[in-house]
Amino acid sequence: MRLDLHTHSRVSDGTDSPAELVAAAARARLDAVALTDHDTMAGVPEAQSAGEQLGVRVINGLELTCQYEGVTVHLLGYGCQPGIQGVLDELRDGRDRRLPKMVAALQDAGVQISIEDVKAAARPGATLGRPHVADALVALGVVADRQQAFDRWLDLGRPGYVGHYKVPLADGVGLITGAGGVAVLAHPWGRESRRVLTGDVIRELSAGGLDGLEVDHQLQDAETRAALRAIADECGLIPTGSSDYHGTGKVNHDLGCNLTSDASFNEIEARIGRRGGRI
Ligand code: AMP
Ligand code: FE
Ligand code: FE
Ligand code: ZN
């Protein structure tokens, strides 16, 4: 089967609506896709009803923003019950408090941008983050594309960077598994998280209930993937592979560019079943 377990819609920082994303998954001949918007499961019902029409199985997912030793780490959660919503509300409040600070920091740096510009760049109710500020900067003609917006203004150390509340990583694993879900570290050796997620830290997380590792991801080269797969084998962690599709919001992340094996998916499903989660 063709299984892609990490995708983003406009409900967070992707560019497709949930239904459009599922239609794109059908065109990419995927059998199943997990919708894993940042810190929200709000797009899942729309995606699932589109999936029923189009014959694509849609897995209920999210990508929880966590931190470990001050560094952002993304944690995928599959099959969580709505009980996890409390922490998602906290994350959203943190983002809502951050937005005016980001806009003020950019204004101080001489960029003419308003909160309304950022809201206009996102679907109403979206989990607002740096990608939407980036889109507003593109719309205002300040930069050419999202990447340039991050490079010049929004990355850590650039004038528009402001942090926001993130869940301590070990708590994130507990929240997801406690809600009946399965917890998989997203692109563990992709960006900054590589610095802090050493093999020993991953072993410790595994002993603490982590279920899996996203091995096949565009931000990880062949050598990195092989090293992660070896750790997964050693610890009994479920290896996954996914696109991290963001529509046109991220290049080189086409649906189906990495896939998860049937064996890994079956194990994920079995654990959700045992924990009383909701797929
Ligand atoms: P936030 O959680 O609001 O700080 O935004 C984080 C999101 O921004 C990530 O999930 C990525 O989708 C996106 N992102 C982070 N760094 C970059 C980058 N250098 N270029 C493009 N997108 C990025
Ligand atoms: Fe994203
Ligand atoms: Fe991520
Ligand atoms: Zn993602």
Side-chain angles (χ1 to χ4, degrees):
M1 292 219 287
R2 287 171 54 78
L3 313 166
D4 187 341
L5 298 187
H6 183 170
T7 69
H8 296 264
S9 76
R10 233 166 30 218
V11 169
S12 64
D13 59 344
T15 55
D16 292 353
S17 69
E20 287 164 355
L21 185 150
V22 175
R27 289 195 298 276
R29 293 175 295 104
L30 291 171
D31 298 290
V33 69
L35 183 65
T36 55
D37 278 308
H38 297 288
D39 305 322
T40 177
M41 302 189 292
V44 171
E46 178 186 324
Q48 287 186 330
S49 50
E52 276 163 33
Q53 310 257 306
L54 296 167
V56 178
R57 183 141 179 231
V58 176
I59 311 305
N60 160 29
L62 54 70
E63 188 175 18
L64 196 64
T65 310
C66 298
Q67 54 103 1
Y68 185 84
E69 291 183 348
V71 175
T72 302
V73 176
H74 286 173
L75 190 61
L76 294 160
Y78 300 113
C80 292
Q81 287 284 359
I84 198 165
Q85 191 59 42
V87 72
L88 303 184
D89 291 341
E90 262 180 77
L91 283 158
R92 171 176 290 263
D93 289 350
R95 286 177 181 281
D96 288 348
R97 285 194 301 273
R98 166 173 77 153
L99 186 58
K101 293 184 198 162
M102 286 185 86
V103 167
L106 287 167
Q107 286 169 347
D108 286 348
V111 180
Q112 302 284 333
I113 185 173
S114 67
I115 293 176
E116 276 59 47
D117 293 329
V118 180
K119 291 196 169 150
R123 165 167 150 152
T127 306
L128 286 180
R130 286 182 291 163
H132 304 102
V133 179
D135 290 348
L137 291 172
V138 174
L140 291 166
V142 177
V143 290
D145 54 32
R146 264 193 194 182
Q147 190 56 50
Q148 213 175 64
F150 273 89
D151 292 346
R152 294 192 185 166
W153 298 105
L154 303 174
D155 268 338
L156 184 63
R158 307 308 299 166
Y161 180 84
V162 178
H164 61 105
Y165 169 69
K166 294 158 193 165
V167 181
L169 183 55
D171 296 353
V173 172
L175 282 163
I176 289 169
T177 56
V182 161
V184 174
L185 268 182
H187 42 74
W189 289 356
R191 266 193 277 260
E192 311 99 273
S193 59
R194 181 171 197 149
R195 267 200 299 122
V196 294
L197 297 178
T198 61
D200 282 342
V201 170
I202 294 174
R203 286 180 194 97
E204 204 176 296
L205 288 165
S206 171
L210 178 71
D211 293 288
L213 284 187
E214 192 175 54
V215 169
D216 293 308
H217 185 283
Q218 296 301 79
L219 292 175
Q220 293 164 174
D221 63 17
E223 200 183 322
T224 303
R225 294 178 188 199
L228 283 170
R229 200 178 302 280
I231 297 177
D233 280 353
E234 175 200 323
C235 299
L237 288 165
I238 304 168
T240 68
S242 305
S243 63
D244 203 356
Y245 174 74
H246 280 66
T248 57
K250 241 178 211 182
V251 292
N252 194 27
H253 287 263
D254 293 339
L255 282 168
C257 65
N258 298 296
L259 297 170
T260 293
S261 71
D262 290 19
S264 288
F265 180 68
N266 291 340
E267 183 58 30
I268 289 171
E269 219 183 354
R271 290 189 192 187
I272 294 169
R274 283 205 296 276
R275 292 174 192 165
R278 190 181 66 175
I279 230 174

